Structures are given as structure tokens and as C-alpha cells.
Amino acid sequence: MSPEDLDPAVVAVLAKVSVTPADVAECAPLAGGTYNSLLRLALRDGRHWVVKRPPSAGPGSALRYEHDLLRGETEFYHAARHVPGVPLPHPVHTDVGGTPPAVSCLVMTELPGTPWHEADASLTAGERTRLRRDLGTAVARLHSVTGPEFGYPARPFGPPPADWRSAFTAMTDAVLDDAEHYGAELPLPAARIRDLLAEAGDVLTDVTRPALVHFDLWQGNLLLDGEAGARTLSGVIDAERMFWGDPVAEFVSLALFDDIEHDDAFLTGYAAGGGEVTFTDSVRLRLHLYRCYLYLIMLVEAVPRRYPPEQLAWTRRHVGKHLTASLDAVASALAGRR
């Protein structure tokens, strides 16, 4: 697209940082996002920015936790700005509007590199091991940041909860409410899932510090840059799903549909960065709870996003299978207590 074709709303935002369409050399939409829209700008002075805006769909087309997601992403980058060795975008400008106020646009610096999943097949075994170790160190450093309260910064469920158990219960209750609202296909009735997660909720009281959690660190949100054989982690991006909570929750997306306990390289790096890596019964049960939460989101969001039939069938089959396994693991852990 041509700079002259920029959305008037984007032009208005850029004006607030003294940039006009004439200052833009190139602009193009970025693919890969599943919720917010992304626009890449190359300015004539050499700067490269990404403009991120929420979808234009009206109320009732999103999950409850997705309220004002860009507020969380903005908070993530500001909170982690002094963390050493973690390549993050720098927020250039945040635009707030509407009633109640919400972040309507985030302008940030663009980071170099290619999404990890696009480069993964070309990595040597040694290079992949080194990168996973470096990633572990970076994640541990992010987890050292402590927040002001538990839960999502936008407070989509009301006033801030008093503790992590209350925060996570509100999170799971909300996505199960969404499941019922949208008629999402789940492996068990929402009421049964709600009861099962609540019964295991006492283990969440082991979490007393609201750590910075990205919660979407799959390979698509990690950038690699450099020559083959010497690539480095060049970007940790798309922090819109972040919350303040249990750092253990991070391990779910870092080992999506797998088990982080099998990732020796990551765990070595995580320990080197100061992270706690002891897999106690409490940690393992909490991991199962967080897997349930993520898999529920993946199943429920497929409805309002109107996945095409083939993608919807794959999601229901594949994610549903993993949700069932995680729910069974929670039930098994509870049975072992009795």
C-alpha cells in the first residue's frame, strides 16, 4: 500500500509524534496476528515502526479477557524495559480513547529477524540447543519483574483480586462463560470443568508474587536474526496476552502441546537466569491448570473468529484432545489426595 492510502486514524496518531504521510517511505500490513491488526512503517529517516490497533468488530465478538489487550502489551514493554539481555520493542506512542478509555493504538519500534517457526527447520541441533538455552535465560529475567497486582492490567473482570487464586479463578470462569455464550464445543460440560478447576484451586495459593508473564511465547512470537549457524534471539514480541501471575504459566506456550520438563536446554538457561525450575507436585498441578486455561481459550476463540471448517475441525480435534488430557491430569492429581 502507498503512504497516501494510510487510514486517517493512523495518520492522526502519527501526527502526535510529528510524522506525516510524506515522512513514510513504505508501509504494509503485517500478517501473522490473530487478533489485533499490524502495520509496518519504514520512515524516510531510517526508523522502522509497527502500528498496532485492536479489531474494529463490535461488542460481543471477543472473549472477555480480550478487553483492552493493548493496555497489557504496553505495560509489558514498559515494565521490562530495563531487563538486561531481552530484545523487546520500544513503545513510541500509546493512543487512548473511547468510553471507558482503552488503548486504541500502540506505535512501537520494529525488531529485526524472522519468526522462529519459519527458521526452525534450518537450525542445526547445536544452534537450536543454544537458542533454547538463551531463551530460557531471557524468560527467567522477565519473570524477575514483579507487578502491582495479580491478573490482567486492563482489569476486564472488575477490581483487582486479592491473590493469584482469585485472579486465576476469574480468568477461567470468564472463558467458560464465553464458551457457554458462544456455544463452543468442549470435551466436558462447562459446569463440570468449572468444578474440577475450582477443586484444584487451593494449589494456586502457593503463588504469592505477581510475576511478569507473557503467556504467548510460542515460536511465532520469538524472532531470530543473523547468519545460519550463528543466529541469535532478536525479538520477544506480541505481549498482548500478558498478565501478572505465576511464572509457571509461561511454560505452557513455551512447550505448546508438549512438556517443558523435556526441554533441558531451556531449563538450563532458565536456571542460569535465576529462574526456579524445581518441578514439585504443586508446580506440575499448576501447569495442568494453566494448560487447561490456554486450551480453553484456543477452543472458544474459534467460534467468534469464525474459523474456516478445516481449521475449526483441526482445532476441535487436536486442542480438544490436549484439553481432555490436561483435565484428566487434574482429576488424577485430585484423586491422589483423597
Side-chain angles (χ1 to χ4, degrees):
M1 65 185 288
S2 166
E4 290 76 19
D5 297 325
L6 284 171
D7 187 307
V10 173
V11 173
V13 169
L14 294 178
K16 296 178 181 180
V17 287
S18 302
V19 170
T20 70
D23 298 316
V24 179
E26 299 176 14
C27 57
L30 286 174
T34 58
Y35 186 74
N36 293 303
S37 64
L38 297 165
L39 181 69
R40 179 184 182 273
L41 301 179
L43 304 185
R44 296 190 185 280
D45 62 9
R47 290 176 292 176
H48 290 81
W49 291 350
V50 171
V51 179
K52 196 166 193 176
R53 296 192 294 163
S56 57
S61 60
L63 305 192
R64 285 181 61 198
Y65 88 95
E66 291 178 319
H67 166 71
D68 201 6
L69 280 185
L70 286 184
R71 185 176 301 277
E73 182 158 15
T74 302
E75 183 161 324
F76 184 95
Y77 297 141
H78 281 295
R81 66 189 182 279
H82 297 309
V83 175
V86 183
L88 298 170
H90 171 71
V92 175
H93 176 74
T94 303
D95 217 48
V96 179
T99 304
V103 175
S104 56
C105 186
L106 171 61
V107 183
M108 63 193 125
T109 55
E110 182 186 25
L111 298 178
T114 301
W116 188 320
H117 70 288
E118 295 180 11
D120 191 65
S122 65
L123 299 178
T124 65
E127 190 175 23
R128 184 178 293 107
T129 296
R130 174 179 55 77
L131 287 167
R132 291 298 295 183
R133 187 171 59 245
D134 292 346
L135 175 61
T137 299
V139 171
R141 290 172 177 169
L142 288 172
H143 288 171
S144 70
V145 180
T146 301
E149 60 193 40
F150 287 104
Y152 293 106
R155 300 180 181 177
F157 317 127
D163 51 40
W164 176 235
R165 182 177 187 177
S166 301
F168 188 69
T169 299
M171 292 158 68
T172 53
D173 281 349
V175 75
L176 287 168
D177 288 345
D178 288 328
E180 293 177 316
H181 173 74
Y182 289 116
E185 184 177 302
L186 302 179
L188 291 176
R192 172 59 185 138
I193 296 175
R194 195 186 307 271
D195 290 344
L196 184 63
L197 300 184
E199 187 179 353
D202 61 304
V203 75
L204 301 170
T205 60
D206 291 346
V207 182
T208 57
R209 182 180 70 90
L212 183 64
V213 179
H214 186 290
F215 202 60
D216 200 12
L217 287 179
W218 74 290
Q219 290 185 346
N221 290 336
L222 300 169
L223 303 180
L224 303 181
D225 197 28
E227 297 296 325
R231 278 165 283 210
T232 60
L233 180 67
S234 61
V236 176
I237 60 173
D238 287 350
E240 59 201 19
R241 315 285 171 176
M242 67 80 68
F243 53 74
W244 298 104
D246 185 357
V248 168
E250 199 82 272
F251 297 158
V252 177
S253 62
L254 281 161
L256 193 60
F257 305 129
D258 205 339
D259 189 341
I260 199 71
E261 284 195 67
H262 302 152
D263 194 339
D264 292 338
F266 175 87
L267 294 175
T268 297
Y270 192 76
E276 171 58 52
V277 290
T278 303
F279 287 91
T280 62
D281 289 343
S282 171
V283 167
R284 291 190 175 104
L285 178 52
R286 279 149 46 203
L287 263 173
H288 291 313
L289 292 176
Y290 306 142
R291 290 187 183 110
C292 289
Y293 180 57
L294 180 58
Y295 299 153
L296 281 168
I297 288 174
M298 295 174 73
L299 283 170
V300 176
E301 69 185 11
V303 182
R305 292 183 184 177
R306 296 181 173 85
Y307 283 8
E310 185 175 341
Q311 183 182 5
L312 180 61
W314 182 91
T315 300
R316 286 175 172 171
R317 181 177 65 254
H318 190 71
V319 180
K321 175 185 70 176
H322 285 278
L323 175 57
T324 298
S326 295
L327 290 168
D328 288 346
V330 172
S332 178
L334 290 172
R337 296 179 178 180
R338 302 183 185 116

